[in-house]
Amino acid sequence: MACSDGTRAVPGGSTHAVPGEDTRAASGDDSRAVLGDGTRAVRVGLPAPVKHEPTLPGPVFAAHFHLPGDPTGGYAYGRDENPTWTHLERAIGELEAPDAGSNAGSDVETLVFASGMAAISAVLFSQLRAGDAVVLPDDGYQVLPLVREQLTAYGIEVRTAPTGDDAQLDVLDGAKLLWIETPSNPGLDVCDVRRLAEAAHARGVLVAVDNTLATPLGQRPLELGADFAVASGTKMLTGHGDILLGYVACRDAELTTSVRRWRKIVGAIPGPMEAWLAHRSLATLQLRADRQNANALVLAQALRERAEVAGLRYPGLPDDPSHKVAARQMRRFGCVLSFTLSTRERAERFLESLRLVDDATSFGGVRSTAERRGRWGGDAVPEGFIRFSAGAEDPDDLVADVLRALDESAEAAD
Ligand SMILES: *Cc1c(COP(=O)(O)O)cnc(C)c1O
């Protein structure tokens, strides 16, 4: 297993994340041959070949399915189940838990949702009851404070602690659920998932990990001990900035049933077209992730030489505070880096000067994006804080554009 024995993600300081060598075969291959991430990515979730049928069946547009007589399971109504989801759910499950099929008794199931927030809410609101306590990160995704308000309104005690230094350990006692986000967005701190999961389980606390930033090619929370791997597929998983999607992968059948029930109640389901586009996009996940992660690293290396860049963070940099823990549990370090320029004005001039990088929120797409995070309020970041998502451009072009924009934003100051 890639992560079970602390396998190194990447040789320290190398320019490329190295795809895992020890991953299992994708669907339809019972030999369980050891295949690389790229090979798995192009095949995940595909049905067995049928003569005259396409490799990846097209989206099934159906609100209801023919259902004479008593319902006997299977596709009945479009809010509960859809064959296009089924293929995508298998695919994501094979990425999050490639070994599950070979491990008797293991029961990983994946459920897709309309968005990352739909998936996150499904876990939180299906598991927590009035009187329960939940531990959230205090430096996580910017909608978590809203979630916190809602949970509190329902009589759930919400505790928070920072991601860095595994600080959530200190507030676990008596909680029902621990919510981890690593690397954290946008601060890029990392916590030790295995250590936190062991401590949580020793106290009877369930563990969910938001795996959005890393993607399952970057880390596999279920193998690190989490009960739930949850993510927004809107970001690098699908990678083109054109669909919203979320998923929950879970190892326990009973927990999965309760999340599935929540999806049925709330109806936060993806359209068949989005689900199909997502599955199509998975085929290039390894290509995109390796190119974008490599771009993030060369960009970080270029930025660290610049005096006007402060607080540079990228977990793939060997001297980053997150690197040591990240290297133990991650197989790729992601495409997001962050840094701070002196003032809000300087940061805005920098963003305006970029030609190959869109000033836009979100991250993980094939086109680089950057934004001044403080414009939203909410995140505890300096005014000049930039969150940068490296795309799949040629690295030389991307680095040149960023360094030129830094130069131009400085000149304008004089
Ligand atoms: C974007 C994001 C979400 C929410 O996902 P949506 O698809 O926008 O609902 C959750 N967690 C993290 C870490 C994110 O970056």
Side-chain angles (χ1 to χ4, degrees), residues 307-387:
E308 69 270 56
V309 169
L312 175 67
R313 293 298 305 270
Y314 180 62
L317 277 177
D319 56 355
D320 187 274
S322 291
H323 183 75
K324 212 168 144 227
V325 178
R328 274 208 307 270
Q329 68 191 16
M330 299 183 76
R331 300 156 72 243
R332 292 174 174 82
F333 297 115
C335 67
V336 180
L337 52 137
S338 62
F339 55 93
T340 301
L341 299 174
S342 56
T343 61
R344 169 184 178 152
E345 291 69 30
R346 175 84 201 255
E348 285 172 347
R349 285 199 303 274
F350 166 70
L351 293 169
E352 277 163 26
S353 305
L354 291 164
R355 289 176 198 147
L356 300 178
V357 181
D358 296 330
D359 185 345
T361 194
S362 197
F363 60 84
V366 287
R367 287 170 286 275
S368 289
T369 57
E371 71 171 334
R372 196 180 66 79
R373 198 62 190 167
R375 66 180 171 176
W376 297 102
D379 294 326
V381 294
E383 285 289 326
F385 180 96
I386 303 281
R387 186 181 70 184

Side-chain angles (χ1 to χ4, degrees), residues 20 49 105 116 128 131 149 168 196 206 245 257 272 279 286 302 328 334 400-401:
L128 298 168
E149 270 179 40
Q168 289 177 310
L196 282 160
L206 291 171
L245 188 87
T257 300
H279 199 157
Q286 185 261 2
R328 274 208 307 270
D401 192 50

Side-chain angles (χ1 to χ4, degrees), residues 114-118 120 140-141 143 181 183-185 210-213 231-235 243-246 362-363 387:
S115 68
M117 281 316 303
I120 290 172
Y141 183 57
V143 178
E181 185 179 314
S184 62
N185 169 23
D210 183 329
N211 205 26
T212 302
L213 201 142
S232 167
T234 311
K235 316 292 171 54
I243 52 177
L244 285 109
L245 188 87
S362 197
F363 60 84
R387 186 181 70 184

Side-chain angles (χ1 to χ4, degrees), residues 101-373:
S102 64
N103 182 1
S106 155
D107 220 357
V108 173
E109 268 189 89
T110 303
L111 300 169
V112 288
F113 286 84
S115 68
M117 281 316 303
I120 290 172
S121 297
V123 172
L124 292 170
F125 291 99
S126 67
Q127 302 308 312
L128 298 168
R129 309 275 180 278
D132 287 341
V134 59
V135 177
L136 301 181
D138 68 10
D139 51 358
Y141 183 57
Q142 69 177 150
V143 178
L144 289 185
L146 281 180
V147 171
R148 177 187 185 150
E149 270 179 40
Q150 192 62 54
L151 290 167
T152 306
Y154 287 151
I156 294 154
E157 180 197 343
V158 180
R159 307 174 188 163
T160 63
T163 298
D165 297 325
D166 302 340
Q168 289 177 310
L169 277 177
D170 299 337
V171 289
L172 278 182
D173 279 341
K176 173 83 189 294
L177 174 70
L178 166 64
W179 192 269
I180 293 171
E181 185 179 314
T182 180
S184 62
N185 169 23
L188 300 175
D189 278 325
V190 164
C191 60
D192 186 334
V193 175
R194 188 177 293 284
R195 179 172 178 232
L196 282 160
E198 277 170 12
H201 288 154
R203 294 166 173 80
V205 182
L206 291 171
V207 178
V209 176
D210 183 329
N211 205 26
T212 302
L213 201 142
T215 82
L217 292 194
Q219 82 191 351
R220 303 205 286 251
L222 298 178
E223 291 173 2
L224 296 169
D227 300 289
F228 302 97
V230 187
S232 167
T234 311
K235 316 292 171 54
M236 190 190 267
L237 190 81
T238 61
H240 293 71
D242 50 13
I243 52 177
L244 285 109
L245 188 87
Y247 69 84
V248 176
C250 178
R251 199 176 271 296
D252 178 279
E254 235 175 272
L255 294 175
T256 305
T257 300
S258 58
V259 176
R260 188 188 291 281
R261 183 171 168 274
W262 179 265
R263 183 175 70 176
K264 180 186 177 83
I265 292 170
V266 173
I269 54 167
M273 190 67 197
E274 282 75 9
W276 183 81
L277 279 169
H279 199 157
R280 188 181 194 269
S281 303
L282 291 181
T284 55
L285 177 58
Q286 185 261 2
L287 288 173
R288 287 183 283 106
D290 280 355
R291 173 65 160 247
Q292 292 179 234
N293 296 2
N295 278 355
L297 183 62
V298 290
L299 202 52
Q301 285 163 338
L303 288 170
R304 80 202 299 200
E305 307 300 326
R306 299 289 296 227
E308 69 270 56
V309 169
L312 175 67
R313 293 298 305 270
Y314 180 62
L317 277 177
D319 56 355
D320 187 274
S322 291
H323 183 75
K324 212 168 144 227
V325 178
R328 274 208 307 270
Q329 68 191 16
M330 299 183 76
R331 300 156 72 243
R332 292 174 174 82
F333 297 115
C335 67
V336 180
L337 52 137
S338 62
F339 55 93
T340 301
L341 299 174
S342 56
T343 61
R344 169 184 178 152
E345 291 69 30
R346 175 84 201 255
E348 285 172 347
R349 285 199 303 274
F350 166 70
L351 293 169
E352 277 163 26
S353 305
L354 291 164
R355 289 176 198 147
L356 300 178
V357 181
D358 296 330
D359 185 345
T361 194
S362 197
F363 60 84
V366 287
R367 287 170 286 275
S368 289
T369 57
E371 71 171 334
R372 196 180 66 79
R373 198 62 190 167

